[in-house]
Amino acid sequence: MAGHSQFKNIMYRKGAQDKKRSKLFSKLAKEITVAAKMGLADPEYNPRLRAAIQDARAENMPRDNIERAIKKSTDQGGENYEEVRYEGFGIGGIGVIVETLTDNRNRTASSVRSIFTKHGGNLGETGSVSFMFSKLGRVEYAPEVATADAMLEAAIDAGAEDCQSSAEGHEVFCAPEQLHEVSRALEAKFGEPRSAKIVWKPQNSIPLEDDKAETLLKMLDALDDDDDVQQVYANFEMSDSVLEKMSA
């Protein structure tokens, strides 16, 4: 789940993911395999594969798992996954984008629709939500890598559009087609980023009351738990008290 500069929300989600490490590794491996199959199996010449491997390393995925996922891309008769994006609304009118990799569209659509419905939401048509988000490249660094001013200066020099820094880290945003170049330029100065990927960034976020926030987080958890779901984005904000209650 990603939202409007809401690192606390992301940290909550990451805590939930830590409890499902094996499932997370499976999703990371799937992205690596698909990225390698769509281009070259060498991350130096395949930006998507390079980003997938960076994400896997950030989650401490073993090197053997990464290499096995790359090798799987050349196996004959393996699964063929396709990318399918779903858009819908959660409780309180929150916009939600769900990105999936699936080998069975009917199964995935049925599962995603059921999760929305069970938690007071509804699945919409393609485009019904994405207009409220901006599709951007995002490069993340840990806070100790640089000061906010240094990261901003480097981001501008690299051709990025925006840089947001907080106690939890730095987020550098750029046009999707510039992600590889911006990431490379920053890496030359600060080392390998924590993450470099294409994301859906909310243009505005909607505050949620405690009870609705809990329901929405349960829906996002259920989506994350689905084997076919790779990424979930939502345009909401919540209070610290809700985050503390949900993290307890």
Side-chain angles (χ1 to χ4, degrees):
M1 186 278 294
H4 180 65
S5 297
Q6 47 185 354
F7 267 105
K8 289 184 180 178
N9 293 358
I10 293 170
M11 288 170 67
Y12 162 76
R13 305 291 305 141
K14 192 174 185 306
Q17 286 178 330
D18 286 342
K19 299 173 184 176
K20 313 175 214 175
R21 181 63 54 178
S22 61
K23 179 161 286 192
L24 177 59
F25 282 176
S26 176
K27 294 187 179 192
L28 290 167
K30 186 189 291 187
E31 170 62 20
I32 290 171
T33 299
V34 169
K37 185 175 288 190
M38 291 177 66
L40 295 173
D42 185 344
E44 285 297 312
Y45 302 98
N46 184 335
R48 177 167 172 171
L49 176 59
R50 181 178 175 82
I53 291 174
Q54 286 174 338
D55 283 347
R57 286 175 179 164
E59 296 294 348
N60 297 314
M61 185 172 174
R63 178 177 299 198
D64 286 350
N65 294 37
I66 294 173
E67 292 177 351
R68 196 158 49 242
I70 294 174
K71 183 178 181 298
K72 191 176 179 182
S73 69
T74 62
D75 291 346
Q76 297 297 319
E79 300 97 335
N80 285 314
Y81 297 105
E82 61 177 319
E83 297 174 290
V84 184
R85 185 177 81 242
Y86 299 93
E87 302 179 24
F89 295 90
I91 193 168
I94 299 301
V96 180
I97 295 177
V98 183
E99 292 185 331
T100 70
L101 285 175
T102 178
D103 58 355
N104 186 322
R105 291 176 67 114
N106 291 336
R107 178 193 66 224
T108 305
S110 176
S111 177
V112 171
R113 183 178 293 106
S114 174
I115 292 171
F116 270 84
T117 302
K118 182 179 178 181
H119 296 88
N122 61 282
L123 206 55
E125 298 293 328
T126 300
S128 61
V129 169
S130 55
F131 75 93
M132 296 186 289
F133 293 70
S134 298
K135 191 174 185 180
L136 298 168
R138 183 185 69 195
V139 184
E140 290 186 26
Y141 275 96
E144 65 271 13
V145 168
T147 64
D149 287 343
M151 185 60 71
L152 175 60
E153 182 179 350
I156 292 172
D157 290 343
E161 297 179 358
D162 190 20
C163 178
Q164 298 175 357
S165 298
S166 72
E168 284 77 30
H170 309 280
E171 289 181 304
V172 176
F173 294 97
C174 62
E177 63 273 13
Q178 295 297 315
L179 176 61
H180 183 54
E181 289 77 8
V182 170
S183 177
R184 285 282 192 165
L186 294 174
E187 184 173 345
K189 190 160 190 175
F190 302 117
E192 187 172 292
R194 187 159 58 186
S195 173
K197 63 174 68 173
I198 304 297
V199 300
W200 291 92
K201 183 176 182 287
Q203 295 170 6
N204 296 288
S205 51
I206 302 171
L208 275 185
E209 299 171 0
D210 290 10
D211 56 337
K212 290 183 178 179
E214 288 186 39
T215 299
L216 182 70
L217 285 179
K218 287 178 182 177
M219 186 182 89
L220 299 179
D221 265 339
L223 287 168
D224 266 348
D225 202 40
D226 188 283
D227 290 339
D228 296 332
V229 173
Q230 292 294 105
Q231 300 290 338
V232 183
Y233 304 93
N235 61 347
F236 71 101
E237 292 180 351
M238 65 175 67
S239 66
D240 289 345
S241 63
V242 177
L243 285 169
E244 290 170 4
K245 182 177 180 180
M246 293 296 290
S247 300

